Amino acid sequence: MDGNSYASLPDTMAKRYYLDPAVYEEEKERIFFKEWICVGHVSQIPETGSFLTAEIADERIVVFRQDDGSSRAFYNVCQHRAHPLVEGCGQRGKITCPYHGWTYSVNGDLIGAPGCHGLAGFKDRNIKLRQVRCELVLGLIFVNLDEHAVPIAQKLGVVVDEIAAAFPRLEEMVLVAEHTQHHHSNWKVTIENFTECYHCPVAHKYLVQNTYSGEAYKVEFDGAIIRHSSKGHRDPAVHGEDFLVWFMWPTFAIELYPLHRCASLRYWIPRGHERCDYVFRWHTLPDLSPEAVQEVIDYAKVHDETTGDEDTALVDQVQVGLRSRGYTGGMLVVKPELNNECENAVAHLQNFYLQQMGPGR
């Protein structure tokens, strides 16, 4: 479907998709364990042994930088008694389980197991961490729990060239600020909120007055990709003229922000059927002046305290409303012509989601 068409779905999805824990369990198998999920940027693992951790619908993953500069991902679980190996991010020459001290190299091989030397048959087990597919595109780290998935570059297609044109040095960018909003809502509620700016003039006064236009906002869609655009309010020669967004199904978006052409990377992390963490990571070019970097850092904090807090309040209350006996379903504002006052992309997203969930939905 192109940006000049819209999904034939005038009504909202049934509320059970946002409330039923059994639906979330089904989503794990049909969506999260089959799709490419962006978990970070190469600047977060800058040297050999650097690692970051991530969660994909309750599965814990760790990504390590290798000697040759590549990245490998593994399930973050010891092969002895299933204890998680590491938390957060950092740098290590080897991985030692905090439970019994079993130790692995950063390429996943078991290199030490206390008390097992000489144990009959132990060396024949060939114990390794279970690897997860990991691929890099433009400095973005994607993982996929499906061993048979098509490569991420093939999945994204022309989007790779679009992003490369907007961010010619994306791989070089460095992380300068990070914030997390904890949403008490289903992950689809928060992503649907992100997918339209119909609410922006009502709920995000600071954003539309200081950052980019709510009236010029447009959202287009094509399969698993949803593109946003608007006009920035700052000097275009310094900050760039446009605000551009690529949302990549199911839980990642990259934004070209009209603020020193920085990149705002957005990650949604489902925490069950009624919880979702929304992570904002702000990246700038490494040769940006310290003053400009500080401006991005300051804005990131303001964004978290305005738009971030406002969106959290909105989606939390939507989740409360979905539980109400007084709400059985609503209508999406779907129009033949895309503009800021429509929810065509939300209709497309819901229709796409139902297709992913399979027949009978």
Side-chain angles (χ1 to χ4, degrees):
M1 182 178 300
D2 62 35
N4 295 316
S5 303
Y6 55 95
S8 178
L9 188 68
D11 298 324
T12 56
M13 287 196 306
K15 56 194 283 185
R16 68 184 182 86
Y17 289 108
Y18 308 92
L19 301 175
D20 188 346
V23 170
Y24 177 64
E25 293 302 315
E26 192 173 348
E27 289 170 345
K28 290 182 183 181
E29 299 300 329
R30 294 183 179 270
I31 297 174
F32 296 112
F33 299 163
K34 291 186 178 299
E35 295 287 347
W36 286 100
I37 308 290
C38 187
V39 297
H41 183 268
V42 291
S43 62
Q44 296 172 255
I45 48 172
E47 57 187 359
T48 299
S50 296
F51 70 91
L52 62 83
T53 57
E55 285 193 28
I56 300 174
D58 306 327
E59 285 288 354
R60 296 182 178 187
I61 306 297
V62 57
V63 181
F64 270 94
R65 187 72 170 258
Q66 303 296 302
D67 289 333
D68 61 1
S70 65
S71 300
R72 285 192 186 181
F74 308 94
Y75 287 96
N76 185 10
V77 59
C78 183
Q79 299 300 290
H80 174 219
R81 295 271 297 282
H83 195 285
L85 294 165
V86 290
E87 295 182 357
C89 58
Q91 197 277 335
R92 295 185 183 181
K94 57 186 178 181
I95 317 160
T96 300
C97 179
Y99 193 9
H100 297 98
W102 282 37
T103 302
Y104 304 83
S105 68
V106 297
N107 65 11
D109 294 334
L110 181 69
I111 57 177
C116 294
H117 180 71
L119 193 63
F122 181 76
K123 287 187 177 181
D124 297 332
R125 298 294 294 272
N126 192 28
I127 299 171
K128 298 175 179 287
L129 297 181
R130 185 176 173 188
Q131 194 162 342
V132 173
R133 287 188 63 185
C134 180
E135 296 181 9
L136 270 60
V137 175
L138 304 175
L140 302 172
I141 304 168
F142 287 86
V143 301
N144 197 317
L145 306 190
D146 182 2
E147 298 175 358
H148 306 292
V150 300
I152 182 60
Q154 180 180 335
K155 173 87 173 182
L156 295 178
V158 298
V159 172
V160 176
D161 293 333
E162 293 175 9
I163 296 174
F167 297 94
R169 300 169 60 193
L170 178 58
E171 188 170 355
E172 301 175 43
M173 285 186 160
V174 294
L175 179 65
V176 298
E178 179 175 349
H179 299 100
T180 299
Q181 290 280 342
H182 303 287
H183 291 179
H184 291 242
S185 68
N186 183 272
W187 67 278
K188 298 183 294 298
V189 170
T190 182
I191 288 178
E192 288 173 7
N193 178 72
F194 178 83
T195 302
E196 48 91 355
C197 211
Y198 184 25
H199 71 283
C200 293
V202 179
H204 299 319
K205 302 296 187 184
Y206 181 88
L207 183 72
V208 299
Q209 291 172 6
N210 295 277
T211 307
Y212 52 77
S213 170
E215 295 181 357
Y217 205 99
K218 186 162 71 172
V219 186
E220 300 174 295
F221 38 87
D222 181 12
I225 305 299
I226 299 177
R227 299 171 177 85
H228 304 226
S229 63
S230 189
K231 295 294 182 182
H233 290 321
R234 295 178 174 83
D235 181 355
V238 176
H239 301 289
E241 180 179 0
D242 295 327
F243 169 71
L244 301 173
V245 179
W246 293 264
F247 171 81
M248 305 172 197
W249 175 263
T251 53
F252 175 66
I254 178 169
E255 301 187 352
L256 173 59
Y257 235 75
L259 178 62
H260 297 292
R261 295 180 173 86
C262 70
S264 179
L265 306 187
R266 309 293 181 87
Y267 307 80
W268 289 267
I269 307 172
R271 305 287 191 190
H273 71 290
E274 289 193 303
R275 297 287 188 275
C276 182
D277 284 352
Y278 184 14
V279 180
F280 304 74
R281 294 184 183 136
W282 301 80
H283 298 252
T284 64
L285 289 170
D287 49 9
L288 194 65
S289 72
E291 295 78 13
V293 171
Q294 188 60 51
E295 189 176 347
V296 173
I297 294 171
D298 292 343
Y299 178 83
K301 185 174 186 297
V302 171
H303 183 280
D304 188 56
E305 295 172 348
T306 55
T307 308
D309 285 349
E310 290 157 2
D311 276 333
T312 297
L314 290 172
V315 300
D316 286 3
Q317 289 304 309
V318 167
Q319 192 71 24
V320 171
L322 285 167
R323 299 190 201 105
S324 172
R325 292 166 55 90
Y327 182 82
T328 58
M331 183 190 76
L332 293 169
V333 180
V334 173
K335 301 179 178 182
E337 184 176 346
L338 300 178
N339 59 36
N340 64 307
E341 293 184 325
C342 72
E343 297 168 311
N344 294 43
V346 178
H348 170 77
L349 186 71
Q350 292 189 358
N351 196 42
F352 186 82
Y353 165 80
L354 293 173
Q355 293 173 2
Q356 298 299 105
M357 291 292 284
R361 294 293 177 179

